[in-house]
Amino acid sequence: MNSIKTSLNIKIASLFPFYTLCKKEIICTLLSPFCPLLLVVTIFASSLSLLANNYWLSAGLSTLKNYFASIPLILIFTLPMLTMNVWADERKQNTSMLLLSLPISSRTIVYAKYTARLLVWLLMLILLMLPPLSLIFLLQIEVASFFLSYFVAFLLGASLLALSQVFSFVSIHPAINFLLSFLSIIVLNITQVFSPLFHKANLFWRILENIFSYISFSTHFENASKGIFDSRDIVFYLVVLLFALEVNVFIVKE
């Protein structure tokens, strides 16, 4: 029986390298010492954010706009923790060359590593849903807007995750990768703050103002935090996600 099971696993590994790599990455991520800390930080930060924005309780409001608006701030800390070891451990243990020498495309390797952490991010998002769902009997939450906000939050995290994974190539030291990813996500979330600095009469400065406002991840999440559907925000996150993954592929090939 064991030999049949082993043979079946070998066939699956040979036919579906993506599945095999993704399964290995999920196990490694979940068994890593920082994963429990990451999940605890996620549920603690989301609960603290909900309590900090508890004005809705005394005002009798059913909106959770401020709570959803705080999600990008939570991702600033959690996503770099999730990606800092993607390639650092491979390089530290000298398994990266072995992995790249296998008859598997670079794109398969990158997408498998990304998918594994995307599933962990989905688990984190479920934890982010628990605090507001615990108030479902106290508030008249609009279900469509509620889940729309979480859907766009998932795309926001997915795109930032892909960008954060790029920085895992920088060093074999996870702390350095974390710091670079952390700073980059902060910048990408606050670029709209600098757009008024370019509010000049000149056309060139107005273009810079629009660019800084457009590339801000928080700006694109603003509509979703209010429960408003805007397809342009979804397209923005998907474009960033695919671009960042292809940058990952390019770095691996080089």
Side-chain angles (χ1 to χ4, degrees), residues 196-208:
L197 299 177
F198 304 102
H199 188 63
K200 310 287 184 180
N202 188 287
L203 177 62
F204 172 75
W205 291 108
R206 289 204 302 272
I207 292 174
L208 281 181

Side-chain angles (χ1 to χ4, degrees), residues 49-50 52-53 55-56 63-71 225:
S49 174
L50 189 65
N53 295 301
Y55 74 96
W56 46 263
T63 177
L64 295 173
K65 173 188 170 183
N66 284 6
Y67 171 73
F68 286 117
S70 67
I71 289 180
S225 67

Side-chain angles (χ1 to χ4, degrees), residues 2 28 37 56 79 110 121 123 126 148 213 218 232 235 238:
N2 289 334
C28 290
L37 174 63
W56 46 263
L79 293 187
V110 169
W121 158 231
L123 174 61
I126 292 173
L148 169 66
S213 178
S218 296
R232 293 173 297 180
V235 170
L238 291 176

Side-chain angles (χ1 to χ4, degrees), residues 76-116:
I76 288 174
F77 296 95
T78 55
L79 293 187
M81 292 175 62
L82 187 58
T83 58
M84 62 184 181
N85 287 313
V86 174
W87 283 99
D89 287 345
E90 298 277 6
R91 294 169 62 187
K92 192 180 298 183
Q93 298 168 8
N94 294 321
T95 57
S96 57
M97 294 305 296
L98 174 63
L99 180 61
L100 295 174
S101 66
L102 295 174
I104 306 172
S105 67
S106 301
R107 184 167 282 101
T108 299
I109 296 173
V110 169
Y111 277 68
K113 285 179 172 289
Y114 172 77
T115 302

